[in-house]
Amino acid sequence: MPSLPSLTDGAWTASPWLMAPAALILWVAVFLAVKTIVLGAMRGVARRTAWAWDDILIDALSVPLLIAIVSSGLVVFNRILPLQPEWDRAFDILFDFSIVLALVMFVDRATRGVLDRFAAGSAVMQGARGLIQAGVRGVAIGIGILIFLDSIGISITPILASLGVGSLAVALALQDTLANLFAGLYMIADKPIEPGHMIRLPGGEEGHVTKIGWRSTWIRQPPNSMLVIPNAKLAGGIIINYDLPQREIAVTVPIGVRYDSDLGSVESVTLDVARGVQRTVAGAVAEAEPVLRFLGFGDSSIQLNVTLRARDFTGMAEVRHEFVKRVQSRFRQEGIIIPYPVRTLDFPPAHLEGLKDILGGGRRD
């Protein structure tokens, strides 16, 4: 430590050893007052606007500005004192470190505010919030260290080269893990599925999405078992989402009636049953109008489809169940027959005698 010079009482008033602390205190006090006034005014303006990002920016600036004010005051303190060059160098390094620290803290606090805002409205972001914040924080700290080393005269070129080679080796070793990570980030950003959605996978598995993590997605299947699938496999497959673009879902029931049926009566009776199901079944959409369309002539019946609307995938089974029960009962009352499969075989007359003999029809007493 440098020793204080011997000064008379009158010389102390003009001494840099008195002026430097006074300048430091005055510098910090003035700029803290300016900081308080400016940030207070900015908060007042932010409260009157619907834009939420200004609140995040103001909150992120508070602590980094305090660090910058104190570190710059120390530089003023150093410049006033008649110190040795090595002390000047030490204060310069301290200032560089403080500014880099302030920038890293600003990025970290701003990132946390943005993630908190997104996580408030997204269950998916809540699960990935910690991972994303840790990743951004690590990148910010790494860049901050490189900036600090470069500012104090240490060459960062060998470090960058080593980081490049090391990153390549890590990427190759963690290829599957990184594929799942980026697939999870893609699903969080693109939102093809979200927790609570009912989906079907290419292999026929279906269930409700319960969690989208950074490595895998969890799906609760109807038997109450949990299917855990890697994000990379899920993102690369064809997914049927029953909750997009809306939760309502069409319930199509195929029916066949005899060829001699009165199709007008069939249509009227079937739609009457379908409307009753739509109005009374809990899982159905009460205001929806069912649709009936004749499809064509089948092997043993005239084919038609009836389409009803369910509130969601869970209600689809209930709507179909109740409609099949009611339409079968009503058809019995109206005399409308749903035929068994019938196939008519035509044989050339020359073959009939032989068939009769084989079947016993040509036996004579």
Side-chain angles (χ1 to χ4, degrees):
M1 281 288 296
S3 58
L4 293 176
S6 299
L7 300 173
T8 63
D9 294 339
W12 271 106
T13 57
S15 170
W17 295 99
L18 181 62
M19 294 176 61
L24 173 61
I25 295 172
L26 181 62
W27 179 280
V28 172
V30 169
F31 279 98
L32 282 180
V34 171
K35 166 183 169 291
T36 303
I37 294 172
V38 172
L39 289 184
M42 293 175 64
R43 287 192 177 96
V45 173
R47 282 193 295 267
R48 295 192 294 270
T49 62
W51 198 51
W53 304 108
D54 46 6
D55 298 313
I56 296 175
L57 178 63
I58 294 170
D59 291 338
L61 279 173
S62 180
V63 174
L65 283 178
L66 176 61
I67 295 174
I69 290 171
V70 174
S71 62
S72 59
L74 289 174
V75 171
V76 174
F77 176 83
N78 168 250
R79 293 298 184 263
I80 295 175
L81 291 177
L83 300 177
Q84 298 296 325
E86 57 269 20
W87 285 99
D88 293 336
R89 176 62 176 165
F91 273 96
D92 290 340
I93 293 175
L94 177 62
F95 177 74
D96 292 340
F97 175 79
S98 300
I99 295 303
V100 170
L101 177 62
L103 291 174
V104 171
M105 291 190 65
F106 171 74
V107 172
D108 182 66
R109 290 168 65 89
T111 302
R112 183 175 59 188
V114 171
L115 292 177
D116 287 343
R117 176 168 174 78
F118 280 123
S122 172
V124 177
M125 185 60 71
Q126 291 175 6
R129 176 184 177 278
L131 176 65
I132 297 175
Q133 183 172 355
V136 174
R137 179 180 296 166
V139 172
I141 292 175
I143 294 176
I145 292 175
L146 293 177
I147 294 174
F148 172 69
L149 294 177
D150 185 64
S151 67
I152 62 177
I154 298 177
S155 177
I156 62 173
T157 302
I159 299 176
L160 292 176
S162 300
L163 287 176
V165 175
S167 299
L168 179 60
V170 171
L172 292 175
L174 301 177
Q175 185 175 1
D176 293 339
T177 302
L178 292 176
N180 289 323
L181 170 62
F182 286 111
L185 295 177
Y186 151 73
M187 289 192 292
I188 291 172
D190 197 47
K191 297 183 179 178
I193 60 173
E194 293 187 54
H197 284 183
M198 179 71 186
I199 65 171
R200 174 175 289 176
L201 303 178
E205 304 90 348
E206 59 185 22
H208 287 89
V209 178
T210 60
K211 184 179 75 171
I212 301 177
W214 65 270
R215 192 196 70 84
S216 61
T217 297
W218 295 41
I219 302 171
R220 181 169 55 82
Q221 297 181 286
N224 204 30
S225 57
M226 192 67 69
L227 174 65
V228 181
I229 181 170
N231 287 333
K233 184 176 181 180
L234 187 63
I238 300 174
I239 304 171
I240 299 176
N241 192 329
Y242 293 104
D243 289 309
L244 293 178
Q246 57 185 3
R247 296 182 69 87
E248 288 186 12
I249 188 170
V251 183
T252 300
V253 181
I255 305 176
V257 296
R258 279 176 52 167
Y259 273 94
D260 57 359
S261 301
D262 182 352
L263 297 187
S265 176
V266 170
E267 182 176 13
S268 175
V269 169
T270 306
L271 287 176
D272 184 59
V273 174
R275 291 188 185 101
V277 171
Q278 291 283 182
R279 304 296 184 270
T280 59
V281 175
V285 181
E287 60 275 11
E289 182 65 22
V291 177
L292 184 148
R293 291 291 183 267
F294 291 101
L295 302 180
F297 302 97
D299 291 340
S300 57
S301 63
I302 295 178
Q303 304 294 319
L304 61 126
N305 275 350
V306 183
T307 303
L308 304 94
R309 301 289 297 182
R311 295 189 180 277
D312 51 30
F313 186 86
T314 304
M316 183 172 63
E318 183 181 3
V319 170
R320 180 183 286 113
H321 166 81
E322 194 63 31
F323 175 73
V324 170
K325 283 174 45 180
R326 295 187 188 186
V327 80
Q328 195 264 357
S329 176
R330 183 69 180 276
F331 275 12
R332 279 185 178 180
Q333 296 175 13
E334 301 293 338
I336 300 172
I337 298 176
I338 302 174
Y340 294 105
V342 176
R343 186 176 297 275
T344 301
L345 303 178
D346 293 328
F347 295 96
H351 295 170
L352 292 179
E353 292 299 328
L355 287 173
K356 289 179 180 180
D357 293 338
I358 294 173
L359 298 175
R363 183 180 304 165
R364 293 182 176 84
D365 297 332

